Each structure stands twice: as C-alpha cells, then as structure tokens.
C-alpha cells in the first residue's frame, strides 16, 4: 500500500461547479497536510496548509482533514478555467519531516 | 509569499556532460532545501535534503556521486548532474523551507527541465 493515494483523474467539470479532490494515507503519524497546485511545466504552488484535523477556508478553497479516517479533501467552489491544473496533496509528520506527495489529480474546468 | 527561483529553466546537453542547477530563496533564508525529480505525469520524488553548511542527505536509490549537492549559503543550493545520460532527462524542482516552529512550509521553485541528448 502506498503511503499516500490519490485518484489521478483526469477530472473534467463545467465552469462554476464545485470540485472535490481527495487523498487517503496510511501513516497515522502525519500531522501536517498541504495541497499544491501545479500548472503544466511549472513548479508546485502551495494552496493550503493545515495542521491536524479540521477545516480551513481560503477564498474559494476549503481544505478538510479527517485524521480518524486518514482522509483529506480539497473543495473548490465556483470553479474557473484558470483552476485547470494538477492538484497534489502532501503531508508530513512534523514541519521538518520529509514531505510525502500524492501522485496528483489532473483537473480540467471547461468554460 | 516566499519566492524561490531556479536557474536555468531549461537546459539541453550532450550525454556525458555535467549540468549545474541553482536554487535560490529570494526573500528569506533557508537552512534546508530539497531537491525533487518529476517524470511526466508522475508526482514529485524527493532526491535529497540539503542543509546549509553540511552534507546533503540522499534518498535511497539516488547516487550521491552522480547528483552533487552544495548548500553553501542560506539562500543558495546547487545540484550538479554529473556525466548526464538520457535517462537523467527530467524536470528537477527545488524547494526551500521557510518559517519557524510549527509553521515551516516548503516553497517550490519553478523547476528546471533537463534534456540529455
């Protein structure tokens, strides 16, 4: 079993839809959870950073962490064509630990 | 937010030559930087952790004599791919650790695309 699993997609949605992206993990020691957005041929860009369980909201983005289920989610409201990218979940045990990345989900928002 | 730059953004070289890639944190000091490699449609794979003033820590399966890392200052880490071969062609991305205590987070550079002919 991989440490972090993520549906690679591709996921295609119409503009304005709510997008739900998810990751599961196996290591109960993970406490720091991140979501990165990566455009084609570019480096990843940090979107959300969450410590432990709970929700965090930033504009159209909401990150949820359920440590009991080892499941994290990223919701995008009112999706835009500019949201089309690959979304990578990532996590670590401490802020200094090696970060483990999911394989990424490719998202296309159709105008 | 924190800015990390990489140079060059793209390099094409002949097989057997060495290539140096620079990673700089522009507006913060980074005692720790990371080097990743990403093959097409795959996630980032950590190659090594670079600590300022000390030897890099390499992940299992990464040849330290082939991928030389130097972290000479708090704002600069370099990765040298020695005697590059076509199978080394990939997207190389660095990141720098910013912050203190429980808020450390990695900021990524834009990546360097290496093509070895």
């Amino acid at each position: 079993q991989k440490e972090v699993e993520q549906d690679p997609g591709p996921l295609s949605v119409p503009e304005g839809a709510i997008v739900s992206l998810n990751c599961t993990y196996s290591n109960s020691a993970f406490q720091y959870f991140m979501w990165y957005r990566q455009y084609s041929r570019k480096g990843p860009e940090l979107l959300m950073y969450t410590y432990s369980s709970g929700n965090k909201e930033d504009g159209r983005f909401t990150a949820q962490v359920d440590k009991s289920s080892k499941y994290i989610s990223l919701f995008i409201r009112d999706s835009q064509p500019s949201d089309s990218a690959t979304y990578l979940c990532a996590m670590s045990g401490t802020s200094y630990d090696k970060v483990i990345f999911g394989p990424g989900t490719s998202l296309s928002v159709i105008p | 937010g924190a800015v990390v730059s990489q140079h060059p953004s793209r390099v094409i070289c002949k097989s057997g030559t060495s290539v140096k890639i620079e990673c700089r944190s522009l507006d913060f000091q980074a005692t720790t930087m990371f080097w990743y490699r990403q093959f097409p449609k795959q996630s980032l794979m950590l190659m090594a952790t670079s600590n300022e003033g000390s030897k890099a820590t390499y992940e299992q399966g990464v040849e330290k004599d082939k991928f030389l890392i130097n972290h000479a200052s708090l704002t600069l880490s370099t990765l040298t791919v020695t005697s590059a071969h076509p199978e080394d062609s990939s997207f190389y991305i660095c990141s720098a650790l910013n912050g203190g205590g429980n808020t450390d987070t990695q900021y990524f550079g834009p990546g360097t695309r290496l093509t070895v002919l």
Side-chain angles (χ1 to χ4, degrees):
Chain A
Q1 183 186 12
K2 293 182 180 178
E3 274 198 288
V4 180
E5 305 220 34
Q6 186 177 6
D7 186 341
L11 180 62
S12 184
V13 301
E15 182 175 356
I18 296 175
V19 177
S20 173
L21 304 167
N22 311 293
C23 285
T24 58
Y25 62 95
S26 57
N27 189 343
S28 58
F30 288 145
Q31 297 190 81
Y32 294 85
F33 304 92
M34 289 75 73
W35 284 95
Y36 287 87
R37 177 175 61 195
Q38 185 177 25
Y39 292 110
S40 180
R41 299 176 181 270
K42 302 290 185 182
E45 169 194 10
L46 180 67
L47 280 179
M48 302 289 281
Y49 182 94
T50 311
Y51 172 69
S52 194
S53 284
N55 295 355
K56 185 174 184 179
E57 186 174 324
D58 184 0
R60 296 185 295 111
F61 299 90
T62 300
Q64 287 186 353
V65 175
D66 182 349
K67 289 186 67 179
S68 63
S69 302
K70 299 191 181 69
Y71 187 88
I72 69 170
S73 301
L74 177 71
F75 297 95
I76 307 174
R77 290 184 299 280
D78 188 24
S79 56
Q80 304 294 310
S82 58
D83 295 328
S84 298
T86 295
Y87 290 80
L88 302 158
C89 64
M91 47 200 77
S92 65
T94 70
S95 60
Y96 288 93
D97 270 353
K98 178 173 69 174
V99 174
I100 307 298
F101 284 85
T105 298
S106 175
L107 171 67
S108 292
V109 181
I110 310 301
Chain B
V3 179
V4 176
S5 71
Q6 270 184 253
H7 178 79
S9 58
R10 173 175 289 207
V11 58
I12 301 172
C13 69
K14 292 182 178 180
S15 184
T17 60
S18 293
V19 175
K20 180 186 282 189
I21 303 170
E22 292 186 350
C23 177
R24 293 181 185 272
S25 56
L26 298 184
D27 52 0
F28 65 98
Q29 294 184 327
T31 55
T32 303
M33 291 184 173
F34 302 89
W35 286 96
Y36 294 84
R37 182 167 50 185
Q38 186 178 34
F39 292 105
K41 298 190 183 296
Q42 295 187 27
S43 189
L44 288 77
M45 296 301 295
L46 181 65
M47 298 175 66
T49 302
S50 169
N51 293 298
E52 188 266 338
S54 64
K55 291 184 178 180
T57 303
Y58 290 82
E59 295 299 301
Q60 191 173 9
V62 178
E63 299 175 58
K64 62 180 180 181
D65 293 331
K66 180 170 182 62
F67 298 98
L68 301 178
I69 292 173
N70 187 337
H71 194 158
S73 78
L74 288 172
T75 59
L76 173 64
S77 176
T78 61
L79 168 68
T80 301
V81 183
T82 62
S83 186
H85 289 93
E87 57 265 30
D88 298 323
S89 298
S90 187
F91 194 47
Y92 291 86
I93 307 173
C94 72
S95 71
L97 204 58
N98 185 30
N102 291 329
T103 62
D104 280 25
T105 191
Q106 291 188 42
Y107 290 89
F108 285 83
T112 297
R113 184 161 301 281
L114 170 63
T115 302
V116 184
L117 302 177

